[in-house]
Structures are given as C-alpha cells and as structure tokens.
C-alpha cells in the first residue's frame, strides 16, 4: 500500500474561514483521500502562531491518514479568509519559512476556493452572502481578478445577513418609538432573545459575537417575509438590490462575454424565498448570467485550483471521482 | 464667612457623560459657588466602584471649595448618561446606600439636565445630536416624559455624527467598487487618516474608540457639503430627515399645545450649515417649534431642576446671577 501510494502525486487544499478550517488531500484522478477539520484561521482575528499550528496540524493529519509522504505533495493550496492583500499573503507565506512546506505553499483567499467549487475551476463570478457579503471574480484566460464589497459590518457588507439583521433591529426600535410602522418582527425578535420589552434589546451591546448574532436574525426576517410582513419584505428587497449592484459592478469590471457564470454561496441562499427574490430581480435586469449553486464544498474548489495549476484537465471522470470520494470521506467521518 | 455660609441652603448638581463629569454647587439665588470636573461616569461602560469614586470626589471638592457644610445641602441632582431605566437608577442609588449622601440623591439622565439648560427648567423637547442621537421631552405640568431614539450605534442613532460618518465611509467604499458615484469624500477621508489607498480604511476595525472616531468624520462631510459634493449633501439631508422624524414622534407623544420649545444640543448643531439645513427643513414642515440653543451648560440645567424642586421660582434675577457666577466660575478655572 505504502509503495503504491508513493508512486502517485498528491495535492493538499485548505479552506480557512472565521469559524473553522477544512483540509483535504487528493490525487491526480480526483480521489479525495482524507479530510481534517481545525478551528478558525483568519490572521486578522487569530494570533499568527495559532493559525500556523492549526494549519500544520490538519495538514499533517491528512498526510498521515492518507498514508502519503511529503515527497508526493505537489502543492498546498491555502485559501484563507483574511488573505486579501499582498501583505496578508506575505505574512502567511512567512509563517512557513524554513519549514518542509515552504516551497509548496500557494496562498489565495477563501472566496477563490468557493468560486472554483462552483465553476470546477473555470472563470466566473461568485456572490457570497452569509454574515458578510462580497463578490469575487476570476478569469482563468486573462488571469484577471476582481472583488467588490466585503468591507466588513461597519464599512460595507451590504445585503448580507448582518445588514438584514441590523435593519430588522432598527425597524423594531423605530416602531417602538412610533417613528416607523408596526411589524411582526417585534414579537419574533423579542421571542428569539427571550425578552419582554423592546428597550431590553440594548443588551445586545454587552453580548459576545455580536456581528454573527445580528446576522442570524436574517432567518427571522425570512419568516416574517413569508407571512407577508411589509417591513420584512422591504428589508429583503433592499438587501437583494444591494447584492445585485455588487454583482453588476464586478461583472462590468471583469467580463465582456455574453454569458457569465455566477456562483451563489453563503447561508442566505439556503433560504428559498430569499434565493427566489434574488433570482427574480436579477433576471428582470440581466438575462446573461448562468446561475450555479456549488455541489461540492469550497475546500474541493481549492483542490481543483491545485490540480489545475499542475496541468491536469478537469474532465467528467475526475468530477465523478471527486463526487464519490468526497461523499465517502464524509461518510467515514 | 463660614458662619454666614452656614445659614444658606445649597444644591449640588452633576452632569455625567461618556467622557467627563461636571459638578457644581449653588445657592438659592442662582450663585454658582464652585465647579469640579471628573472622568466619565456611565455605569454601562465604567465599573460601578469607579463611578462612585468619581462622583464622591467631585462632590466633596465642590463642598470644600465653596466652604459649605453637608447640612446645607438640600439635594444632589445626579444627571447621568446611562441612567435611563429604573434598574439603572436603582444601581446608582445603591452606590450611595449608608453614606451621608443617601437621603439627598436624585437621579435623572443627562438629557434631562441638557433640556433644563435650554428651557430654564420649563417643559420642552430636546434633540441631542452628537456622537449618538436622542430626543427627550418633559412636561413640568403633567410630569410626563418621553424619549425617542438613543439606541446606540448598532440599533439606532439615526441622524447622529456616527450615522453621518459611517455613511461617508460606506459611500467611499461604494465609489471605490464602482457601485456608487465619485465623491470628494474619498480624498478628504484618506487625508484625514493619512492613508494612500481606499482598502486601507479597513484598518478602522483594529483601532480604538471606533464609534467616536467614525462620528468625528461628520466634520469632513460638512466640508464636502460646503463644496456642494452631492454625496455629502445627500448624507446630510438623510440625517436631517431622520432627526426630524424623531422630533415629530416625540412631539406627538408629549404635547398638545400649539407652541413647543425644542432645544438643540450636541456637536452637530455647532456647524452652521447643518443647523441651517435642519432648521430649514423643520420650518417647511412645522411652524410650531420655538427653537432654543442653550446659553448655559447642562450641569446648570441639573442645578435648575434641583432648586425648582425645592419650590424656588426661576425669575430674571436668578437667571442673571447664574449667568454671571457661571462666567466667573469658568474664569477662575
């Protein structure tokens, strides 16, 4: 077994986010051989030393678990949240200086991995709408990349879960003050926090994880919108408009072709009402987007970037192997 | 001197905010005898022990400096930021339990002191637009009070310095992304932070005092509006509309009379362009407000509440004494 393995090449791929980091190792035929999960790895929120430990731990685990040896590893594609600018990439690269991994490391941001998971490594745009929001585009022919948005909850994140949740809270406060219409959101949000009175919502300021906790309120806005609450519907309409403006801006910077691939990613699109609102509005303005929701996770996108760069063409056989072996990897978990 | 002083009654008043706390002591004729300044005293942001120390230190100082004795003190009016709800007042009251001050303490929030400084203790509404925004109203005939807004930078503070500064930052990011119009704000804000490139503005997240620092950008928006930058003008117009909605809501809850006093307070109104935008818009909708900008500080408002409650009528002689002695107190500083 060890001997046979030693003859084949291997690629390591990592998708690192604000809450967890996933690592896989695969071969040149699309077989995902092993998977490991660690904690968050964003260098802007976690100490660099801890990020290094998280990354090396999960990389070692997939190497050992898959019975691989270091010499087999062609490349290590680290696609990490917070790896946006050259300086970020330089910092991460430096963590691996004088280690056995140094020569194999490639650094991209996590949006690139998510995009590749929707396009199987081809050109396209990705709209990520979760706690935050960002549009990322890459052309594999020109190598040109674009990003729009993703400036965080204070400077940007229009149309995101945070944006929706915060507008819901503000609507509840305005309604309480008699300077905004009554809304079902009041009861739903008070129940969610198990509070009796609207002014008690200011407790949010002393809580932890305030940004993701506000973003989670978007689920409540979806519920109220399903009951046709006009305030909830207006919030979602504004969010959809902001997201479409981001896609438009990125598309104009990135593409000249008639049909663009647009990958939808992030928690908001798992709600069918929100997805349909978005698609309905987008189609009424633009007919030239081929909409894709990824069938494989972002970490496999990172793996696709790796094998693609080694000159491997991602054909139907490889796609089939990926799907099967990924299911198996998860089944064994 | 000591003997003569001992025969007159004294009132202590405190105006406590998020950055400093001012304390005065005055007699029944409007003579402000002494003043002391301490650090912030908001129980929601400062330890209760430290708030207690700050308050007792400045109270002791004005008592000693004015040559007063404890028996002369009729009441101590503590008007504190963060003293909004019954529970807040209970906490502050408890700090003074079993102390010599216990029986004399009255607790109000700082907006009530600011209102009284504009109305000389009479009924009215106050709109405070600084880092945050709030409308507070009180009727001295019915005793009824109202508040609208003031929910903090995440849940409220519409039309405030923070609201204006954040919108300016978002406009700069949108312009950079080509999903918003070009604006003079970009150059002005980059210069302000001494940055070269728009994406570097995300550094704001790792800075301290992020909310007041964003609020301070409102000055830059005023500058751009003076140069007729359309983005800056639109931000200010939205801010003015939000503030007017707050005043309207409070006015409808509070008053039935034809002419209401509206006190304007807070840093935004020290800009003449902003004040004129606000007054112009307000007058186009409502003619029934008598607009007042206080000529005395909020801590004197707190003192007025104190002497008024003791049955003293605030006549022209008392007003004159207050103005003269307040100027003198500041001159001696």
């Amino acid at each position: 077994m060890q001997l046979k393995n030693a003859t084949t090449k291997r690629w390591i791929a990592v998708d690192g986010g604000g809450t967890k980091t996933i690592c896989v190792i695969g071969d040149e035929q699309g077989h995902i051989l092993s998977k490991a999960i660690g904690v968050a790895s964003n260098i802007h929120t976690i100490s660099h030393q801890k990020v290094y430990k998280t990354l090396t731990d999960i990389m070692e685990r997939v190497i050992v678990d898959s019975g691989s040896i270091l010499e087999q590893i062609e490349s290590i594609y680290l696609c990490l949240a917070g790896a946006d600018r050259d300086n970020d990439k330089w910092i991460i690269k430096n963590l691996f200086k004088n280690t056995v991994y140094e020569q194999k490391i490639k650094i991209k941001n996590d949006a690139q991995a998510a995009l590749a998971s929707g396009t199987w490594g081809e050109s396209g745009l990705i709209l990520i709408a979760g706690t935050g929001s960002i549009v990322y585009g890459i052309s594999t022919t020109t190598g040109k990349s674009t990003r729009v948005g993703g400036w965080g909850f204070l400077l940007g994140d229009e149309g995101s879960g945070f944006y929706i949740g915060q507008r819901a809270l503000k609507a509840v406060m305005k309604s309480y003050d008699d300077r905004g219409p009554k809304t079902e959101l009041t009861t739903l949000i008070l129940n969610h926090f198990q509070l009796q009175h609207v002014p008690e919502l200011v407790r949010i300021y002393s809580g932890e994880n305030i940004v993701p906790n506000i973003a989670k309120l978007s689920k409540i806005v979806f519920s109220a919108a399903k009951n046709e609450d006009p305030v909830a519907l207006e919030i979602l309409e504004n969010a959809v408009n902001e997201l479409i403006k981001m896609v438009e801006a990125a598309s104009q910077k990135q593409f000249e072709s008639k049909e663009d691939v647009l990958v939808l990613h992030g928690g908001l699109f798992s709600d069918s009402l929100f997805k349909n609102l978005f698609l309905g509005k987008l189609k009424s303005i633009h007919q030239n987007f081929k909409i894709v929701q990824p069938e494989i996770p972002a970490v496999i996108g990172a793996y696709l970037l790796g094998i693609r760069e080694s000159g491997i063409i991602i054909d139907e056989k490889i796609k089939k192997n990926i799907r099967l072996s990924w299911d198996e990897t998860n089944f064994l978990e």
Side-chain angles (χ1 to χ4, degrees), chain A residues 121-302:
Chain A
E122 298 293 323
S123 302
L125 286 178
I126 184 166
L127 164 58
I128 307 179
T131 298
S133 65
I134 191 171
V135 176
Y136 193 85
I138 197 154
S139 160
T140 50
T141 47
T142 64
K144 201 179 150 194
S145 69
T146 317
R147 61 166 276 182
V148 167
W151 303 113
F153 78 104
L154 285 172
L155 308 190
D157 283 354
E158 287 84 3
S160 66
F162 177 81
Y163 174 99
I164 292 170
Q166 189 187 29
R167 294 212 157 198
L169 285 168
K170 284 185 166 239
V172 169
M173 305 324 282
K174 284 190 168 187
S175 171
Y176 175 81
D177 281 341
D178 289 333
R179 59 189 163 116
K182 294 288 162 223
T183 165
E184 203 181 298
L185 291 167
T186 301
T187 313
L188 293 171
I189 288 179
L190 286 180
N191 287 346
H192 172 81
F193 287 115
Q194 296 186 289
L195 296 174
Q196 295 285 312
H197 307 290
V198 169
E200 294 171 314
L201 285 169
V202 298
R203 288 194 198 162
I204 210 163
Y205 290 98
S206 53
E208 283 180 11
N209 298 318
I210 186 163
V211 172
N213 282 342
I214 289 178
K216 277 177 200 153
L217 298 178
S218 52
K219 281 191 187 170
I220 289 172
V221 183
F222 297 154
S223 297
K226 271 159 207 155
N227 289 338
E228 300 191 348
D229 180 75
V231 173
L233 282 165
E234 198 192 332
I235 292 171
L236 295 186
E237 210 169 292
N238 285 333
V240 159
N241 289 341
E242 291 287 349
L243 294 176
I244 287 174
K245 267 188 228 165
M246 289 165 63
V247 170
E248 279 181 311
S251 173
Q252 270 162 30
K253 287 181 182 195
Q254 185 72 31
F255 290 109
E256 289 161 30
S257 73
K258 288 280 173 228
E259 191 177 83
D260 300 339
V261 173
L262 175 63
V263 179
L264 302 184
H265 193 87
L268 295 191
F269 295 114
S270 38
D271 182 86
S272 59
L273 177 130
F274 188 77
K275 196 174 88 180
N276 290 336
L277 268 179
F278 176 82
L279 292 177
K281 183 81 184 209
L282 186 71
K283 274 175 196 161
S284 74
I285 308 174
H286 304 284
Q287 277 81 40
N288 60 341
F289 283 109
K290 187 189 160 198
I291 306 293
V292 173
Q293 277 195 287
E295 52 177 315
I296 49 174
V299 69
I300 302 295

Side-chain angles (χ1 to χ4, degrees), chain A residues 18-135:
Chain A
T19 51
K20 66 176 178 181
T21 303
I22 310 182
C23 180
V24 297
I25 188 166
D27 68 14
E28 58 205 309
Q29 282 141 20
H31 298 110
I32 305 302
L33 304 168
S34 184
K35 182 179 88 167
I37 298 178
V39 292
S41 57
N42 185 328
I43 55 156
H44 294 302
T45 52
I46 314 274
S47 82
H48 296 178
Q49 202 186 349
K50 199 170 174 199
V51 168
Y52 174 73
K53 190 169 181 330
T54 299
L55 294 175
T56 48
D57 278 358
I58 53 178
M59 281 155 52
E60 276 166 26
R61 246 154 65 208
V62 297
I63 292 172
V64 171
D65 289 355
S66 63
S68 309
I69 56 170
L70 199 69
E71 287 68 30
Q72 290 177 283
I73 312 298
E74 280 287 295
S75 70
I76 300 170
Y77 250 78
L78 300 181
C79 296
L80 305 180
D84 291 319
R85 281 153 297 171
D86 287 344
N87 188 45
D88 302 327
K89 289 173 182 159
W90 182 84
I91 289 168
I92 299 163
K93 192 104 190 164
N94 250 336
L95 294 176
F96 293 93
K97 206 168 179 174
N98 301 324
T99 70
V100 291
Y101 303 116
E102 185 179 5
Q103 299 306 319
K104 301 174 194 282
I105 296 274
K106 318 266 175 180
I107 298 153
K108 305 278 172 186
N109 83 27
D110 58 337
Q112 277 169 281
L115 172 58
S117 75
T119 61
W120 294 92
E122 298 293 323
S123 302
L125 286 178
I126 184 166
L127 164 58
I128 307 179
T131 298
S133 65
I134 191 171
V135 176

